[in-house]
Amino acid sequence: MARGSEAFWDGISAKYAARPVSDPASYDHTLERTRAYLSPGDRVLELGCGTGTTALRLAGDVAHITASDISAEMLAIGARKAAEAGAQNVTFLHADVHAAAASGEPHDAVLAFNLFHLTGSLPESLAAAASLVKPGGYLISKTICLAGKPLIGLLVRAMGLVGKAPKVTFVSIGELDRAITAAGLEIVETGVFPKSPPARFVVARKAGQARRPE
């Protein structure tokens, strides 16, 4: 687990929790498309869950969600939110994608929203995430793709130098899609929302017995 990244997210956890969703329309569309691939009996893992907002929004659509993150402070806030909401089928796990993969437990769906551009090595992170998906299951992700956006890149790097932003991997949409395929997954749906900065939504299926979305 990257201690520097963990400390960064711990440090901004309260402000992060208080901040409203920046693009509600894109967020709601992300949830809508994600739900199309989930079933009531599914056991789901969310990687990089933050304070648990998405896990709690989707909890009523599945049997169980494990919400994982590298930030203990984020998870503590998420656990309080789950208790207040009376969510009985959400548990929280302090782990990055590699630690989660080491558990070896496969899931019907693995979610990773706004995560893969923050993990350092895209191929390694995708391989770890793919290992957590059952045959026939889905990896559903959304990734900010900043390659070819020099002005945004300069701003993010400058903010990172003064501790105001995490380390970001600058990846293009094409690079992301190829990396997902290289991880042994078949892309079945894509989208870009919002358009700026471009956030690539990808649903990718792991080979095996087909699951029928409900």
Side-chain angles (χ1 to χ4, degrees):
M1 192 175 298
R3 296 300 176 187
S5 296
E6 181 178 353
F8 172 82
W9 293 109
D10 280 347
I12 69 164
S13 59
K15 289 184 178 179
Y16 182 93
R19 186 177 63 196
V21 174
S22 59
D23 188 338
S26 291
Y27 180 61
D28 288 344
H29 188 52
T30 300
L31 294 178
E32 176 189 346
R33 294 312 309 143
T34 299
R35 287 189 177 102
Y37 292 90
L38 301 179
S39 298
D42 282 353
R43 301 189 69 82
V44 176
L45 171 67
E46 184 183 6
L47 301 168
C49 71
T51 59
T53 298
T54 297
L56 291 171
R57 289 281 297 270
L58 295 174
D61 300 287
V62 299
H64 186 269
I65 292 185
T66 300
S68 68
D69 202 275
I70 65 170
S71 169
E73 294 297 327
M74 293 275 194
L75 292 171
I77 294 170
R80 289 196 294 271
K81 289 164 60 175
E84 291 168 0
Q88 300 295 315
N89 65 333
V90 181
T91 56
F92 292 88
L93 173 67
H94 187 206
D96 64 9
V97 59
H98 302 289
S103 72
E105 181 183 357
H107 296 76
D108 297 294
V110 174
L111 316 179
F113 299 129
N114 299 314
L115 175 69
F116 287 128
H117 63 295
L118 302 173
T119 57
S121 172
L122 182 63
E124 290 181 6
S125 298
L126 280 167
S131 73
L132 287 160
V133 182
K134 287 182 179 179
Y138 298 100
L139 173 64
I140 305 175
S141 64
K142 192 173 181 181
T143 307
I144 297 174
C145 296
L146 294 177
K149 304 289 182 181
L151 293 180
I152 296 177
L154 286 172
L155 176 61
V156 170
R157 289 190 178 98
M159 292 175 66
L161 290 174
V162 295
K164 299 296 184 181
K167 185 176 180 180
V168 174
T169 298
F170 294 84
V171 61
S172 71
I173 288 174
E175 289 169 337
L176 175 66
D177 289 357
R178 288 191 292 274
I180 290 172
T181 301
L185 301 169
E186 177 191 4
I187 294 176
V188 297
E189 180 178 333
T190 62
V192 180
F193 40 89
K195 297 291 185 182
S196 181
R200 182 66 160 176
F201 177 78
V202 180
V203 180
R205 181 178 172 275
K206 191 170 188 176
Q209 184 177 359
R211 295 173 62 253
R212 184 181 300 278
E214 296 183 2

